[in-house]
Protein backbone atom coordinates (compact mmCIF):
# COMPACT_ATOMS: atom_id res chain seq x y z
CA UNK A 1 0.00 0.00 0.00
CA UNK A 2 1.31 3.44 -0.87
CA UNK A 3 1.31 6.17 1.74
CA UNK A 4 -1.26 8.94 1.45
CA UNK A 5 -0.10 11.98 -0.53
CA UNK A 6 -0.89 15.22 1.22
CA UNK A 7 -2.21 18.40 -0.36
CA UNK A 8 -0.98 21.90 -0.95
CA UNK A 9 -3.25 24.90 -0.41
CA UNK A 10 -2.04 28.26 -1.66
CA UNK A 11 -3.68 30.71 0.71
CA UNK A 12 -3.98 34.46 0.32
CA UNK A 13 -3.47 35.86 3.79
CA UNK A 14 -4.50 39.45 3.15
CA UNK A 15 -2.36 42.51 3.82
CA UNK A 16 -1.23 41.59 7.33
CA UNK A 17 -4.14 42.04 9.71
CA UNK A 18 -5.37 38.54 10.70
CA UNK A 19 -8.92 39.93 10.72
CA UNK A 20 -8.65 40.11 6.94
CA UNK A 21 -8.09 36.38 6.49
CA UNK A 22 -11.02 34.69 4.79
CA UNK A 23 -12.99 31.99 6.59
CA UNK A 24 -11.60 29.50 4.07
CA UNK A 25 -8.06 30.62 4.90
CA UNK A 26 -8.65 30.22 8.64
CA UNK A 27 -10.09 26.73 8.06
CA UNK A 28 -7.15 25.65 5.92
CA UNK A 29 -4.72 26.90 8.56
CA UNK A 30 -6.61 25.20 11.37
CA UNK A 31 -6.18 21.78 9.75
CA UNK A 32 -2.69 22.26 8.29
CA UNK A 33 0.25 20.02 9.20
CA UNK A 34 2.84 22.40 7.74
CA UNK A 35 2.63 26.13 7.01
CA UNK A 36 5.18 27.95 4.85
CA UNK A 37 4.64 31.66 5.38
CA UNK A 38 5.88 34.97 4.04
CA UNK A 39 7.00 38.15 5.71
CA UNK A 40 3.91 40.02 4.47
CA UNK A 41 1.41 37.32 5.41
CA UNK A 42 -0.25 37.60 8.83
CA UNK A 43 2.19 35.52 10.84
CA UNK A 44 2.10 36.90 14.36
CA UNK A 45 -0.94 34.84 15.33
CA UNK A 46 -0.04 31.80 13.25
CA UNK A 47 0.56 29.57 16.23
CA UNK A 48 -3.07 30.11 17.26
CA UNK A 49 -4.48 29.88 13.75
CA UNK A 50 -2.55 26.72 12.87
CA UNK A 51 -2.12 24.99 16.23
CA UNK A 52 -1.08 21.57 14.80
CA UNK A 53 1.28 22.85 12.18
CA UNK A 54 5.00 23.03 11.82
CA UNK A 55 5.64 26.69 10.90
CA UNK A 56 8.34 27.46 8.34
CA UNK A 57 9.39 31.06 7.64
CA UNK A 58 10.30 31.45 3.98
CA UNK A 59 10.02 35.23 4.11
CA UNK A 60 11.85 37.43 1.72
CA UNK A 61 12.94 40.98 2.28
CA UNK A 62 13.59 43.26 -0.69
CA UNK A 63 17.08 42.51 -1.94
CA UNK A 64 17.42 39.44 0.29
CA UNK A 65 16.32 35.96 -0.59
CA UNK A 66 16.64 33.75 2.46
CA UNK A 67 14.95 30.85 0.67
CA UNK A 68 15.01 30.71 -3.11
CA UNK A 69 11.73 30.28 -4.96
CA UNK A 70 12.82 26.87 -6.28
CA UNK A 71 13.53 25.75 -2.74
CA UNK A 72 10.06 26.89 -1.58
CA UNK A 73 8.52 24.89 -4.41
CA UNK A 74 10.67 21.89 -3.53
CA UNK A 75 9.60 22.10 0.14
CA UNK A 76 5.90 22.30 -0.79
CA UNK A 77 6.13 19.18 -2.91
CA UNK A 78 8.36 17.28 -0.48
CA UNK A 79 6.10 17.88 2.53
CA UNK A 80 2.98 16.97 0.58
CA UNK A 81 4.63 13.80 -0.74
CA UNK A 82 5.48 12.96 2.84
CA UNK A 83 1.73 12.95 3.55
CA UNK A 84 1.33 16.42 5.06
CA UNK A 85 -1.45 18.88 4.31
CA UNK A 86 0.58 21.96 3.51
CA UNK A 87 -0.56 25.57 3.54
CA UNK A 88 1.47 28.09 1.60
CA UNK A 89 0.40 31.34 3.29
CA UNK A 90 1.13 34.38 1.17
CA UNK A 91 0.58 38.09 1.65
CA UNK A 92 -2.48 39.57 -0.04
CA UNK A 93 -3.74 37.45 -2.92
CA UNK A 94 -1.56 34.57 -4.17
CA UNK A 95 -1.94 35.59 -7.82
CA UNK A 96 -1.12 39.29 -7.46
CA UNK A 97 2.67 39.49 -7.81
CA UNK A 98 2.85 36.56 -5.43
CA UNK A 99 4.47 33.89 -7.62
CA UNK A 100 1.41 31.79 -6.81
CA UNK A 101 1.22 30.61 -10.41
CA UNK A 102 4.71 29.17 -10.24
CA UNK A 103 3.93 27.30 -7.04
CA UNK A 104 0.71 25.98 -8.55
CA UNK A 105 2.68 24.71 -11.58
CA UNK A 106 5.31 23.09 -9.37
CA UNK A 107 2.64 21.13 -7.48
CA UNK A 108 0.79 20.14 -10.64
CA UNK A 109 3.99 19.01 -12.32
CA UNK A 110 4.78 16.88 -9.29
CA UNK A 111 1.29 15.36 -9.25
CA UNK A 112 0.47 16.90 -5.85
CA UNK A 113 -3.16 17.96 -5.35
CA UNK A 114 -3.24 21.74 -5.07
CA UNK A 115 -5.92 24.39 -4.62
CA UNK A 116 -5.97 28.15 -4.24
CA UNK A 117 -7.79 30.29 -1.70
CA UNK A 118 -7.84 33.90 -2.85
CA UNK A 119 -6.97 36.68 -0.46
CA UNK A 120 -7.68 40.35 0.14
CA UNK A 121 -5.08 42.11 -1.96
CA UNK A 122 -3.07 45.01 -0.60
CA UNK A 123 -3.63 46.74 -3.95
CA UNK A 124 -7.19 47.51 -2.82
CA UNK A 125 -7.15 47.01 0.95
CA UNK A 126 -4.16 49.21 1.76
CA UNK A 127 -5.53 52.28 -0.05
CA UNK A 128 -8.87 51.56 1.67
CA UNK A 129 -7.16 51.48 5.06
CA UNK A 130 -5.96 55.00 4.29
CA UNK A 131 -9.45 56.13 3.26
CA UNK A 132 -8.79 55.92 -0.48
CA UNK A 133 -11.32 54.08 -2.69
CA UNK A 134 -9.61 52.82 -5.85
CA UNK A 135 -12.75 53.73 -7.82
CA UNK A 136 -15.30 56.40 -7.04
CA UNK A 137 -18.38 57.32 -9.03
CA UNK A 138 -17.68 60.39 -11.12
CA UNK A 139 -14.00 60.41 -10.17
CA UNK A 140 -12.38 57.20 -11.39
CA UNK A 141 -13.90 54.23 -13.15
CA UNK A 142 -10.79 52.19 -13.58
CA UNK A 143 -7.70 51.28 -11.65
CA UNK A 144 -4.47 49.78 -12.84
CA UNK A 145 -2.26 47.75 -10.54
CA UNK A 146 1.35 47.76 -11.60
CA UNK A 147 4.55 46.33 -10.16
CA UNK A 148 7.25 48.93 -9.59
CA UNK A 149 9.82 46.26 -8.85
CA UNK A 150 11.52 46.83 -12.22
CA UNK A 151 11.57 50.22 -13.94
CA UNK A 152 8.55 50.85 -16.17
CA UNK A 153 9.20 51.05 -19.90
CA UNK A 154 8.50 54.29 -21.80
CA UNK A 155 5.52 52.60 -23.49
CA UNK A 156 4.08 51.50 -20.14
CA UNK A 157 4.49 54.97 -18.67
CA UNK A 158 2.81 56.47 -21.71
CA UNK A 159 -0.18 54.15 -21.40
CA UNK A 160 -0.49 54.71 -17.65
CA UNK A 161 -0.30 58.46 -17.97
CA UNK A 162 -2.97 58.43 -20.66
CA UNK A 163 -5.49 56.14 -18.95
CA UNK A 164 -7.00 58.71 -16.67
CA UNK A 165 -7.99 56.37 -13.83
CA UNK A 166 -6.30 55.36 -10.61
CA UNK A 167 -2.76 53.96 -10.63
CA UNK A 168 -1.77 51.62 -7.82
CA UNK A 169 1.90 50.68 -7.61
CA UNK A 170 3.12 47.76 -5.51
CA UNK A 171 6.80 47.20 -4.75
CA UNK A 172 7.42 50.71 -6.01
CA UNK A 173 9.35 52.48 -3.25
CA UNK A 174 12.82 52.21 -4.75
CA UNK A 175 11.61 53.09 -8.25
CA UNK A 176 9.30 55.88 -7.10
CA UNK A 177 11.58 58.63 -8.47
CA UNK A 178 11.65 57.14 -11.96
CA UNK A 179 7.93 56.30 -11.93
CA UNK A 180 6.82 59.81 -10.93
CA UNK A 181 9.30 61.48 -13.29
CA UNK A 182 8.21 59.17 -16.11
CA UNK A 183 4.49 59.87 -15.63
CA UNK A 184 5.17 63.63 -15.61
CA UNK A 185 7.28 63.28 -18.73
CA UNK A 186 4.39 61.49 -20.43
CA UNK A 187 2.05 64.35 -19.72
CA UNK A 188 0.32 63.47 -16.47
CA UNK A 189 -0.76 66.62 -14.64
CA UNK A 190 1.75 67.69 -11.97
CA UNK A 191 -1.06 68.44 -9.49
CA UNK A 192 -2.58 64.95 -9.58
CA UNK A 193 -2.71 63.86 -5.95
CA UNK A 194 -0.73 60.85 -4.77
CA UNK A 195 -0.31 58.93 -1.55
CA UNK A 196 2.19 56.42 -0.23
CA UNK A 197 0.78 54.12 2.42
CA UNK A 198 3.36 52.18 4.42
CA UNK A 199 2.63 49.10 6.52
CA UNK A 200 -1.08 49.30 5.69
CA UNK A 201 -3.48 47.89 8.24
CA UNK A 202 -0.90 47.69 11.01
CA UNK A 203 -0.56 49.91 14.06
CA UNK A 204 2.41 51.50 12.31
CA UNK A 205 0.46 52.51 9.19
CA UNK A 206 1.55 55.88 7.82
CA UNK A 207 0.27 57.80 4.81
CA UNK A 208 2.32 60.42 3.00
CA UNK A 209 0.47 62.74 0.64
CA UNK A 210 1.91 64.90 -2.13
CA UNK A 211 0.97 65.99 -5.59
CA UNK A 212 2.73 64.10 -8.35
CA UNK A 213 5.30 66.81 -8.99
CA UNK A 214 6.45 66.68 -5.37
CA UNK A 215 5.95 63.00 -4.66
CA UNK A 216 9.59 62.10 -4.99
CA UNK A 217 11.01 64.72 -2.64
CA UNK A 218 8.16 64.34 -0.14
CA UNK A 219 8.61 60.58 0.03
CA UNK A 220 12.36 61.00 0.39
CA UNK A 221 11.96 63.54 3.17
CA UNK A 222 9.55 61.24 4.98
CA UNK A 223 11.94 58.31 4.61
CA UNK A 224 9.27 56.13 3.04
CA UNK A 225 10.13 52.43 3.19
CA UNK A 226 8.79 49.16 1.83
CA UNK A 227 6.22 47.61 2.19
CA UNK A 228 4.18 50.44 0.80
CA UNK A 229 1.44 50.99 -1.75
CA UNK A 230 1.60 54.07 -3.96
CA UNK A 231 -1.70 55.49 -5.23
CA UNK A 232 -1.81 58.14 -7.93
CA UNK A 233 -5.10 59.70 -9.02
CA UNK A 234 -7.95 61.99 -8.07
CA UNK A 235 -9.42 59.38 -5.70
CA UNK A 236 -6.61 60.23 -3.27
CA UNK A 237 -8.52 63.40 -2.38
CA UNK A 238 -11.22 61.19 -0.89
CA UNK A 239 -8.85 60.34 1.95
CA UNK A 240 -9.06 63.87 3.13
CA UNK A 241 -12.12 65.35 4.71
CA UNK A 242 -13.17 68.18 2.44
CA UNK A 243 -11.99 69.50 -0.87
CA UNK A 244 -10.56 72.62 0.70
CA UNK A 245 -8.61 70.67 3.25
CA UNK A 246 -7.45 68.24 0.59
CA UNK A 247 -6.06 71.05 -1.48
CA UNK A 248 -4.32 72.62 1.48
CA UNK A 249 -2.82 69.35 2.58
CA UNK A 250 -1.59 68.49 -0.87
CA UNK A 251 -0.21 71.97 -1.38
CA UNK A 252 1.82 71.69 1.79
CA UNK A 253 2.72 68.08 1.14
CA UNK A 254 1.90 67.42 4.73
CA UNK A 255 2.68 64.13 6.36
CA UNK A 256 -0.05 62.32 8.14
CA UNK A 257 -0.08 59.28 10.34
CA UNK A 258 -2.79 56.81 11.26
CA UNK A 259 -5.81 56.24 9.05
CA UNK A 260 -4.95 59.21 6.89
CA UNK A 261 -8.42 60.70 7.39
N1 LIG B 1 0.28 39.30 -3.25
C1 LIG B 1 0.39 40.56 -2.55
C2 LIG B 1 1.41 41.48 -3.16
C3 LIG B 1 2.82 40.94 -3.14
S1 LIG B 1 3.99 42.10 -3.73
C4 LIG B 1 -1.00 41.22 -2.49
O1 LIG B 1 -1.93 40.81 -3.19
O2 LIG B 1 -1.14 42.13 -1.68
C5 LIG B 1 4.49 42.88 -2.23
C6 LIG B 1 4.04 44.32 -2.21
O3 LIG B 1 2.70 44.41 -1.76
C7 LIG B 1 4.80 45.21 -1.26
O4 LIG B 1 6.03 45.63 -1.82
C8 LIG B 1 3.84 46.35 -1.11
O5 LIG B 1 3.84 47.18 -2.25
C9 LIG B 1 2.52 45.63 -1.07
N2 LIG B 1 2.04 45.34 0.30
C10 LIG B 1 1.66 44.14 0.77
N3 LIG B 1 1.21 44.25 2.03
C11 LIG B 1 1.30 45.55 2.36
C12 LIG B 1 0.98 46.31 3.52
N4 LIG B 1 0.46 45.74 4.60
N5 LIG B 1 1.20 47.64 3.50
C13 LIG B 1 1.71 48.24 2.42
N6 LIG B 1 2.04 47.58 1.30
C14 LIG B 1 1.83 46.26 1.25
Amino acid sequence: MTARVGTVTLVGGGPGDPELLTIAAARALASADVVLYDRLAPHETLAELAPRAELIDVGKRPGHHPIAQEEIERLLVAHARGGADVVRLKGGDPFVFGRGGEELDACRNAGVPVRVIPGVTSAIAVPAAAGIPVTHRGVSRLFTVVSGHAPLSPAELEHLAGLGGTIVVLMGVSNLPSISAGLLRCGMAPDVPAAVIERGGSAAQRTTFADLSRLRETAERAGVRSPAVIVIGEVVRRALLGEAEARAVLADAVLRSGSGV
Side-chain angles (χ1 to χ4, degrees):
M1 212 179 92
T2 48
R4 171 189 179 270
V5 175
T7 61
V8 170
T9 310
L10 305 179
V11 175
D17 178 351
E19 292 284 305
L20 293 180
L21 281 172
T22 63
I23 293 169
R27 280 208 183 112
L29 286 167
S31 63
D33 300 310
V34 178
V35 177
L36 282 80
Y37 64 94
D38 267 2
R39 180 183 61 105
L40 289 173
H43 54 263
E44 268 145 31
T45 52
L46 254 190
E48 281 166 51
L49 290 162
R52 314 163 2 139
E54 177 192 347
L55 306 178
I56 304 174
D57 180 0
V58 294
K60 302 184 184 96
R61 278 168 296 129
H64 302 260
H65 292 274
I67 299 195
Q69 182 64 25
E70 300 68 36
E71 177 63 7
I72 293 174
E73 290 163 18
R74 198 193 62 74
L75 284 170
L76 289 174
V77 168
H79 281 286
R81 281 193 173 147
D85 286 328
V86 185
V87 163
R88 171 73 173 108
L89 183 65
K90 306 173 78 69
D93 183 273
F95 286 167
V96 179
F97 308 134
R99 306 192 76 167
E102 290 160 65
E103 293 170 12
L104 190 77
D105 289 348
C107 293
R108 284 188 177 150
N109 291 340
V112 167
V114 57
R115 70 188 174 119
V116 180
I117 298 177
V120 173
T121 180
S122 64
I124 298 171
V126 169
I132 303 170
V134 290
T135 69
H136 189 75
R137 192 173 161 81
V139 177
S140 172
R141 60 177 188 156
L142 65 96
F143 62 99
T144 306
V145 182
V146 58
S147 164
H149 180 68
L152 299 178
S153 71
E156 286 168 334
L157 287 163
E158 187 111 7
H159 287 303
L160 284 172
L163 266 174
T166 307
I167 301 172
V168 179
V169 188
L170 303 193
M171 298 182 282
V173 171
S174 51
N175 279 319
L176 191 147
S178 75
I179 293 168
S180 54
L183 291 172
L184 288 166
R185 209 171 43 242
C186 292
M188 194 170 242
D191 63 350
V192 169
V196 185
I197 307 118
E198 298 166 84
R199 302 175 295 271
S202 77
Q205 175 174 317
R206 176 174 75 155
T207 308
T208 303
F209 294 101
D211 63 29
L212 184 60
S213 65
R214 273 177 293 199
L215 183 58
R216 173 200 185 143
E217 53 157 307
T218 308
E220 256 166 27
R221 197 152 18 101
V224 161
R225 304 265 294 272
S226 178
V229 173
I230 302 165
V231 189
I232 302 166
E234 288 299 326
V235 288
V236 169
R237 289 189 209 283
R238 304 286 311 171
L240 305 158
L241 290 175
E243 271 290 299
E245 188 196 356
R247 263 190 239 109
V249 168
L250 289 164
D252 295 343
V254 164
L255 268 180
R256 290 186 161 215
S257 303
S259 70
V261 182

